[in-house]
Amino acid sequence: MMRFLKGLLITFGILFIALLVGGIVGLRFLAEQWEEEPLPDRFVLSLSLKPGLNETSEPFPFAAYIGGPSPSLLDVINLLRTAGEDERVRGLFLDLSEASVGPAEAQELRAALSRFRSGGRFVHAYADSLEGNGAIALYHLATGAEKISLQPSGLLDIRGIELTTPYLGEALESLKINADFRTRHEYKGAMTPLTDGAMPAPVRENYRRLVDSLYAGIAADIATARRLSPSTVNALIDTAPLTAAEAKSNGLVDETRYRDEAADAARAKAQGADLVGAARYLRDDLDFINGEDTARIAVIAVEGPIMRGRAEPFSRSRQAAAESITDAIKQAREDKRVKAIILRVNSPGGSYTASDTILHALSKARADGLPVVVSMSDVAASGGYFVALDADHVVAHPTTITGSIGVVSGKVDFSGFLTEHGIRTDSVNAGRNAGMFSPARPFSDAEGRRLDEVLDTIYADFTGKVAAARRLGPAEIDAAARGRVWSGQDAKRIGLVDVLGGYAEAEGLSRDAAGIAPEKPTELVAYPTDRDSLKEFLGALEAGELSEAATRLEALLTILRYSDVLVTMFNGAGGDRIKAAAPPLTVR
C-alpha cells in the first residue's frame, strides 16, 4: 500500500512539474515574440536597488526555462560597466529607497559609480528616506553620486555604527545550563554570548578598534564627497537622525524632492532624455560587449556559513557548501575561456574541514596555471579568511571584517537543567568518548583534555598556514591572530591582505597574473554558469527521497513570486540575504 501511495505522489508531482514548466515555457515563448521599440539614441539609465543583493546570482527554480536569476551585486557591477561604455547612456538615476547593503557592498557599488562617472556621465541618487539599520552604509553609497535627493518627509538616519550582542551566560547559569565552549584564544568572541554575562575585556578591546576603524573610514569618505570638514560630519552624525530639511541645510543632500521630481531633474540634466529601466536596457542587443576576443574571468562566491557537502538545491539562504564550490572551481578549470578565478568571499567561516576542502581545490587550480585572486566583501572571517591562503593576491575593502584567526568548539550541557526538573537520561555506548558531545552531560576530564588537544592542533595548523602564506614571523602572527577581527584597512596594515579595493582591483590583478594583454577585453562571469533545478528535482524523485522531494516541490511554488522576471529583472525580491558577520554588526 505504501509503495502504491508513494508512486501515486511521485506521479502527481511529475505531472504538476510538467504543467508548471509547460506554462512557464509558453509564457516565455510569448514574451520572446513581443518586439520592443528600439532604445533611443540617448537616455538616462534607471536603476532601483532592492534588498537582498547576493554576491553572485543564484538561479531560482527553473531559471533556465524562464530567462534569468535574481540580480546580484556582480550583476549590478557588470550593468554599470556596460552602461559606462555605451555612448547612448548619458547618466544614471539611482533609487535607493528599498535598498539594503553592507558597508563593503556600499564601497563596491560606490567605486562602480565612480568608474561610471569617469566617462563624463552623471549619477543622481534618490531615496524617499534613509533610515533604520544600514542607513549610514546606504548614505555612504549615495555620496558616490553627483547629486543626492531626499523626499521632503524623509529622514537621514546616519547615527553611526553600533555593535550590540545579548549575553546569556548569567541567564543560562540560573537555569543550570552550562555552555562549555573552548576558544583559541582570548579574542575569539563568537561563543562568549553563551558563556559570559557581559562582553569580556579582550573582546571589547577588539570590537572597539573594529568599529572605530569602520566609522573613521566611512566618515572620511562622506566628508570628502560632500566637501565638509571631518569635525562637521562627526557632529552631524552625532545629531542624527536628521530631517530632510536639516540634511539639505547642512550640505548632506542637495535637494528635497519627490521621486517623480527627482527623475524629471535627471532627465533635464540629459536635455530631456528618457529614462530607461535596467531590465529594458539589458534586453537590448549590446553588440559592443563580450565579443569573441573577450577573456573570461570566473567569479566564484563563498557566501554564507561554510559547510561540508553540497548546497541544498532550493535553499532560501545562501550556503557556502564545499562540494558545490569545488564543482564550480572544477568547471572554471575545465573552461578554456577562463583565464583566472576571482574568489568572492562573504562568509563568517564555519567548518574547518570544509574550508580546507575549498582551499585544496583552489590550490589545484593554481597548480594548473590558473591564477586565483581573492576579493573580500562584507565579511571574510575565520574559515572565510582561511580559504584565501593560497591566492596569488588578496583584496579587501577598507570596511571588510576579516581575520578572526582562531578556533572555538564545545557544547551546551543541559544536565543540571534536566536534573532540576526531574528528567533523567540514560545510555549505553561502545567507545570511551562516544557520548562526548552529548548535551545531557558535561565533558569528562579526559574528554575536555582531548578537545583542548584538537583545538590546539587546529589553531597551530591555521596560524602556521597563515604565517607561511603571508610571510609573517612568530610575533607578527601572534599579534594578528588569537581570534582578533580586523577591518580591511587594519588587515592590510598588519599584512593579512595585499590590496584595498574590490572587483576592479581584483580584475586588474587577475589580468596581470594571467598575462592578459592590455588591449584584450575581459568579462567577469559567475560560476557555476548554469544549474538545472528540474533535473535536481526529478533526481530526488528517482532516488526515492519522497520527503525531500516534497520539500522541494513546496519550494518550487516560489516560482510564482518570480514571474515578474519576464517583465523586469530588477523589480523582484532578490532572495534572502545572509547578514553574516563576526561579530554581529548593526550598522545604522
Side-chain angles (χ1 to χ4, degrees), residues 43-46 88-93 116 121-124 270:
F43 56 87
V44 176
L45 186 65
S46 176
R88 298 172 299 175
V89 178
R90 302 303 172 90
L92 172 70
F93 178 70
F116 177 83
R121 296 165 179 82
F122 68 85
V123 176
H124 284 192

Side-chain angles (χ1 to χ4, degrees), residues 110 140 214-226 228 230 233-234:
R110 195 172 184 268
H140 187 205
L214 298 180
Y215 177 91
I218 292 172
D221 282 349
I222 292 172
T224 300
R226 301 304 300 177
L228 299 170
V233 170
N234 290 334

Side-chain angles (χ1 to χ4, degrees), residues 531-545:
R531 177 171 161 184
D532 194 335
S533 36
L534 175 61
K535 184 185 295 184
E536 289 176 347
F537 178 79
L538 294 178
L541 289 174
E542 291 170 0
E545 298 292 338

Side-chain angles (χ1 to χ4, degrees), residues 43-46 76-86 88-93 109-124 144-145 281:
F43 56 87
V44 176
L45 186 65
S46 176
V76 177
I77 297 300
N78 283 334
L79 168 71
L80 294 175
R81 176 176 174 170
T82 300
E85 299 172 0
D86 191 339
R88 298 172 299 175
V89 178
R90 302 303 172 90
L92 172 70
F93 178 70
L109 290 167
R110 195 172 184 268
L113 294 181
S114 178
R115 295 190 294 273
F116 177 83
R117 291 179 62 189
S118 67
R121 296 165 179 82
F122 68 85
V123 176
H124 284 192
Y281 177 66

Side-chain angles (χ1 to χ4, degrees), residues 24 29 31 45 90 95 113 144 213 219 231 311 339 388 434 439 458 503 506 564 566 571:
I24 291 168
F29 175 79
L45 186 65
R90 302 303 172 90
D95 189 345
L113 294 181
S213 180
S231 60
K339 306 304 179 185
I458 294 174
Y503 272 119
D564 61 349
L566 294 172
N571 281 345

Side-chain angles (χ1 to χ4, degrees), residues 168-180 194-195 411-418 420-421 439:
L168 308 178
E170 292 179 0
L172 294 178
E173 184 179 356
S174 69
L175 296 171
K176 299 188 182 302
I177 298 173
N178 178 35
D180 188 353
L194 294 180
T195 60
K411 68 178 180 180
V412 178
D413 167 25
F414 290 90
S415 59
F417 176 84
L418 296 175
E420 180 79 6
H421 291 81

Side-chain angles (χ1 to χ4, degrees), residues 26-35 566:
L27 285 173
R28 184 177 180 186
F29 175 79
L30 291 174
E32 288 176 346
Q33 308 311 304
W34 173 44
E35 293 187 4
L566 294 172

